[in-house]
Amino acid sequence: INYAGKDYDDFTVQFAAGPELALNDETRVSFQALGSQRWYGGKTANRAFGGRATLQYELAEGQRVGVSLDARHNDSGFSKGYDGWQMGAYATYERVINRSLIASATLFGRRESLIADANSGTEFGANLGVGGELPLGINAGVSGGISKQAYDAANLFFSNDPRKDLRLNGRVNLGLRSVRMLGFSPSVTYSFSKSQSSISLYDTTRHRLRFGLARYF
């Protein structure tokens, strides 16, 4: 995001790279090195590095399960209280409904162990989704999720009790493969997120509508 001047400019660079190996016909593993850096107002806001390991196993035809573990270390450019480790574990089940539709369900847990206990916490949640190709050249998908996060200690500036958040999210996307402009097809995505916190300052509701062009292969 680039504004006039640089006081509010917000730039992020991310990368993930690594090998994927087939152990047999049903099992694949992958390992990735992760890195990111964010600049805000011309200054380093956050730098992170870490890794991810993923195992995927093919069940009966049209079904797959996967487990992923990741960990990364964050260095904040604004406050040492946000320095520390972020770790996550994810378990996903995917199922082919028919030739063109795929459904998935994911359970996850995340842990932030930062220098400041008031910024550290644990989150558990789940996501469900279904998407694929529909008649008339339409690509569509619907997904939603819920999670709950509890922090380790109170931020005494706001409350005597540790903060607790309930988070909801949803997304609907629609693409038209039947319409082509220079080889690209139009798409639109609506996203919704809501956070209900025990500290009202952190209550948020966000709606986002994004238009794009997609190339289908």
Side-chain angles (χ1 to χ4, degrees), residues 28-107:
R28 303 182 72 87
V29 295
S30 64
F31 304 93
Q32 290 180 312
L34 308 173
S36 67
Q37 180 151 333
R38 180 186 177 192
W39 296 267
Y40 186 82
K43 299 179 181 179
T44 297
N46 188 75
R47 181 183 295 116
F49 64 89
R52 177 188 296 127
T54 300
L55 169 69
Q56 291 185 338
Y57 181 77
E58 302 286 343
L59 298 173
E61 184 176 355
Q63 300 180 64
R64 179 170 63 182
V65 293
V67 177
S68 180
L69 303 174
D70 69 52
R72 65 194 72 193
H73 188 274
N74 288 297
D75 294 303
S76 173
F78 289 112
S79 171
K80 286 293 183 182
Y82 290 96
D83 289 358
W85 285 92
Q86 289 180 318
M87 294 156 284
Y90 308 83
T92 299
Y93 170 75
E94 295 179 343
R95 183 184 182 94
V96 176
I97 299 176
N98 56 37
R99 287 181 54 193
S100 58
L101 287 178
I102 299 177
S104 66
T106 300
L107 298 175

Side-chain angles (χ1 to χ4, degrees), residues 104-126:
S104 66
T106 300
L107 298 175
F108 67 86
R110 289 193 282 256
R111 171 69 188 167
E112 292 183 305
S113 295
L114 308 179
I115 290 178
D117 289 340
N119 298 331
S120 303
T122 304
E123 181 181 16
F124 293 100

Side-chain angles (χ1 to χ4, degrees), residues 142-216:
V142 179
S143 63
I146 184 172
S147 68
K148 189 169 185 178
Q149 177 156 355
Y151 290 81
D152 292 354
N155 185 330
L156 298 180
F157 186 79
F158 297 109
S159 172
N160 293 323
D161 298 315
R163 174 182 159 196
K164 295 181 180 179
D165 291 357
L166 178 65
R167 297 167 180 166
L168 304 172
N169 69 83
R171 190 175 79 160
V172 178
N173 66 279
L174 181 68
L176 293 176
R177 304 187 316 278
S178 56
V179 177
R180 296 292 180 91
M181 296 180 294
L182 300 177
F184 291 88
S185 300
S187 66
V188 60
T189 301
Y190 166 73
S191 301
F192 167 82
S193 63
K194 181 178 180 63
S195 178
Q196 182 176 333
S197 177
S198 59
I199 300 175
S200 59
L201 176 67
Y202 296 101
D203 287 347
T204 60
T205 301
R206 174 178 290 181
H207 303 268
R208 175 176 290 177
L209 195 62
R210 183 179 69 187
F211 297 93
L213 295 173
R215 179 69 179 265
Y216 296 98

